[in-house]
Structures are given as structure tokens and as C-alpha cells.
Amino acid sequence: MIESWHTTDPGVLRLPSGRLVRGRALRRPLIAGPVPDFAVYLLNQQPPEVSWEARWLRWPDFRLPSSHSQAQEMLGEAWARAATERVEVACGGGRGRTGTALACLAVLDGVPPEQAVDFVRRHYASRAVETPWQRRYVLRFAD
């Protein structure tokens, strides 16, 4: 098993199962320390190349993923891999799309959908999940 994130690392969310997932803003420099083993980047355009395994989910700023089935697949993979690997989820600013994706991961981890946004706001960033439609997306993510 690899060294995981630490709960004291910036942007690391501990899910109820104990899985750790790092959220971050791609507009900011890479955080010092271990790099991810796997990442999901939530952007409207292709992200820059990285030296770790990464997936790109087309997701315009302040909007929803272009493909719900791709979002379910990629976030499901991120959740599964977070059990044994360092997983990162990131968008440009690290709040709206990243917060929404982290709330979806919380739902996959057993947090009731109606509590997932509050969970992420308490444990990741108080202004995560920026729009009403992002909040509704979390409520219907598992459907």
C-alpha cells in the first residue's frame, strides 16, 4: 500500500469510510509533497499533461458535467481507487466543480445525498458547490 494523503494536507477530504481525496485548484501551483497516483480533472478544455494517471471530464465552469454517465464512471473509479491510492479531484478554482465532485464521492461513500453538500462544506471548503444546479446534481447523482 502506498503512502496516502495526510488529513493535515491542504484540500484533503476524509470520507466517512476513511478514504482520503484531495481537492485543489489547478490555477494554483501544485502543492508540495506527494503527487497523486490518479486524478480526475473537471475542465471545459483538456488539462495540461501530468506525470500521473489522469482522466479529463468535460465540465464547464459553473455548470454540470457534459456527460452524466462519464461523471458516474470517472468519479466511481476515483472513489474505488481512493481506498488504496492518492486520488485528486480538481478544477480551475477548486470550489464549484471540485466541491460538487467531492459531494458526489461522499454520496458514493454512503453520505445521504441531501447531506452531501453540507458534509463537503464542513470538511473541505465552506463555499464548495457554487450553484443551485450543482446542488441538485448531487441530489440526483446516484440515479
Side-chain angles (χ1 to χ4, degrees), residues 26 41-48 56-60 97:
L26 292 171
Y41 295 125
L42 318 164
L43 299 167
N44 196 36
Q45 57 194 17
Q46 189 165 345
W56 169 38
L57 179 59
R58 186 179 295 275
W59 191 329
R97 294 168 285 182

Side-chain angles (χ1 to χ4, degrees), residues 110-131:
V111 175
E114 61 278 2
Q115 296 173 21
V117 171
D118 287 337
F119 176 84
V120 170
R121 287 178 174 170
R122 272 193 322 277
H123 299 287
Y124 170 68
S126 62
R127 295 194 310 221
V129 189
E130 295 173 318
T131 68

